Amino acid sequence: MDERLYNQVWGMFEDLARTVAAYRSAVDFADSRLDRELDEALSDPRHRLGGAGGDARETARARRDDLVAQARAVLDRDLAQLTAESEVVEPALPAAYARWDNPVWHGQGAPEEGPLALRLGDLSLPESPGLKIPMLMRLPLERGLWIDNGRTGSEAAMTMDTDRLRRAAMDMAVAHAARLLAVHPAGRISVHVIDAAGAGSAALAPLVRAGVLAGPPAAGAAGVAETLARLTRRVDLVQMALRAGAPEDLPADLDPAEQLLVVHDFPHGFDDRAVTQLRYLADEGPSVGVHLLMVADRDEASAYGPLLDPLWRSLMRLSPVPDHHLADPWVQHAWTFEPDLPPQGSRVLDQALERVAQARRAARQ
C-alpha cells in the first residue's frame, strides 16, 4: 500500500508538471504569434496608418486571447482532476508521508518495518498555489539534507528576522528527525546532534526531553571532534567489513542502527580536521547507513572558500520558509517548497516522541 501511494503521489507530481508545461507552452506560442503578427502589421505601410492597422492588431490580440483561454480551460480541467485526487490521497497517507496535522499521527503506533520514503514538505506551482504535492524522498537517504538558515537564500528569508529564521530552520530539522524516529521500528534509527554553541537548545528540547537521542547534544570543539570521530570510525569499519565480505564481523560495540547526524550552526566549533571529517561523512556515509542533516548558513562558512563547494553540492538544500529553488526531473519547473511543521500549539510532535521512547523501553524489556 505504501508503495502504491508513493507511486500515486509521484504520478500527481508528474501530471501537474506536464499539464502546467503544456499551458505555459501554449501561452508562449500565443505570445510569439502575436508578436509576429504585430510585426507584420507594422511592416506593411498600408497598415501603419488608418483603421486597417488597428483592426489587424485587434484581430491578432483576439486570437492570442482565444488561444490562452483555451489553454487555461484545459489547465483548469486538469487541475480540478488533480485537486480531487489530492483530496482523496492526502487523508490516506501513512505517517511517513502525511502532514503533521493528519489524524494518522494520533493513532500511530510503533511500526514493524521502516517506510519507503519520507515527507520533507510540500511543492506547488504559481498556476495553482492551492494544490500542494507532497515532496517525498526515498529512504534510506542517498544524499544529505541542508536546511539553509541564511538570509540571502531567498526573498522570503531576506524579509525575516534572523533569529526567527534560525529558529524556524532548527524547528524544521527537529521535525524531520522526530518523523524519522517515529516511522521506524524501535532502535532502527540513532540520532546524534552537534550543537557546538548550544544555540539550538530550545528547538532541541523535545528530542532531549523524550530521551530519544543517542547522547546529549555535542557542545564545544571537543564534542564536535568526538562525535565526528565516532561516526567516521563507524563508516570506516562498515566499509572494510563489506569489502572483506564479512559484515557480521563488526565489533560488538558498533551500533547496527542507521545513524542520523544533525549539525547545527556549522562551522562553529569545527577546525580543519572536523571539516574534512564532515565532508567524508557526507560523501561516504549514506552508502553505509550514516546520514547528514545540516542546519547552516553558507555565507558563514565562506572563509573556507571553494573547499566546501563539493559539500554544499552534495546536499539537498531545503528552506525553512517558502522558496522556489527546486526543479522537477521532467520539465525543470521552479517549484515552491514549503516545509511541513507541526501546527502551532499542538503536542503532536511530543506525543510521537513519547511513543518512540515507550517503544524503545518495551524493546529493551
Side-chain angles (χ1 to χ4, degrees):
M1 176 61 73
D2 285 5
E3 186 162 1
R4 285 202 298 272
L5 287 168
Y6 173 85
N7 291 335
Q8 187 166 5
V9 168
W10 266 87
M12 294 165 55
F13 184 26
E14 182 176 1
D15 288 348
L16 181 56
R18 295 194 187 282
T19 194
V20 169
Y23 169 73
R24 292 179 181 179
S25 178
V27 172
D28 289 344
F29 171 76
D31 288 341
S32 64
R33 192 174 77 170
L34 173 63
D35 291 341
R36 186 176 68 254
E37 291 179 345
L38 291 177
D39 288 342
E40 290 173 356
L42 290 172
S43 67
D44 189 339
R46 294 169 300 177
H47 290 167
R48 284 199 293 268
L49 297 173
D55 291 343
R57 289 191 291 272
E58 288 303 316
T59 300
R61 291 191 180 96
R63 276 200 292 265
R64 183 264 178 198
D65 292 344
D66 184 55
L67 274 176
V68 171
Q70 291 178 39
R72 186 71 213 193
V74 172
L75 175 65
D76 288 344
R77 180 202 65 200
D78 292 343
L79 291 177
Q81 292 175 350
L82 285 169
T83 300
E85 185 177 3
S86 176
E87 290 172 352
V88 173
V89 170
E90 189 72 48
L93 294 176
Y97 306 172
R99 293 193 183 105
W100 281 105
D101 60 2
N102 190 311
V104 71
W105 281 104
H106 298 291
Q108 170 75 2
E112 296 181 359
E113 58 183 26
L116 184 73
L118 194 77
R119 188 178 194 143
L120 299 179
D122 294 321
L123 296 169
S124 62
L125 290 171
E127 284 79 1
S128 182
L131 176 57
K132 301 185 186 302
I133 305 296
M135 180 181 173
L136 303 180
M137 174 169 272
R138 290 293 290 255
L139 295 176
L141 297 173
E142 294 182 356
R143 57 191 299 204
L145 302 176
W146 163 34
I147 301 176
D148 186 356
N149 66 0
R151 297 186 67 243
T152 59
S154 68
E155 292 181 7
M158 291 179 67
T159 63
M160 198 170 180
D161 175 76
T162 300
D163 290 339
R164 283 183 56 216
L165 181 65
R166 290 178 177 272
R167 176 58 190 263
M170 200 56 194
D171 285 343
M172 184 176 165
V174 169
H176 285 332
R179 183 186 289 263
L180 269 171
L181 287 165
V183 299
H184 281 86
R188 187 74 63 84
I189 295 280
S190 290
V191 178
H192 309 259
V193 174
I194 289 177
D195 185 25
S201 57
L204 290 166
L207 296 171
V208 175
R209 188 166 55 243
V212 295
L213 294 176
V224 171
E226 192 277 332
T227 301
L228 292 174
R230 186 169 67 251
L231 291 174
T232 300
R233 171 180 176 266
R234 186 187 190 281
V235 171
D236 289 340
L237 289 174
V238 175
Q239 284 185 336
M240 286 189 292
L242 291 175
R243 281 196 295 266
E248 69 282 356
D249 291 341
L250 289 167
D253 66 340
L254 197 75
D255 183 1
E258 297 272 318
Q259 311 289 307
L260 175 69
L261 172 61
V262 180
V263 178
H264 180 234
D265 217 13
F266 174 82
H268 188 93
F270 283 71
D271 56 19
D272 289 347
R273 176 177 171 79
V275 169
T276 300
Q277 288 177 317
L278 186 69
R279 286 185 55 190
Y280 176 72
L281 291 177
D283 292 339
E284 303 294 332
S287 63
V288 290
V290 177
H291 309 285
L292 181 61
L293 172 55
M294 278 183 57
V295 181
D297 179 356
R298 185 171 182 171
D299 290 344
E300 292 187 353
S302 59
Y304 288 95
L307 176 68
L308 287 183
D309 286 351
L311 172 64
W312 301 117
R313 285 196 299 267
S314 72
L315 303 173
M316 172 175 282
R317 177 180 172 267
L318 300 174
S319 172
V321 292
D323 188 21
H324 46 277
H325 65 279
L326 293 172
D328 63 80
W330 303 288
V331 290
Q332 301 296 302
H333 289 317
W335 292 74
T336 298
F337 170 81
E338 294 182 59
D340 177 49
L341 296 173
Q344 287 288 336
S346 168
R347 291 198 69 249
V348 62
L349 187 140
D350 290 304
Q351 291 168 351
L353 291 174
E354 288 168 7
R355 288 193 291 268
V356 171
Q358 290 171 2
R360 288 187 174 183
R361 288 193 293 269
R364 286 195 293 265
Q365 291 175 356

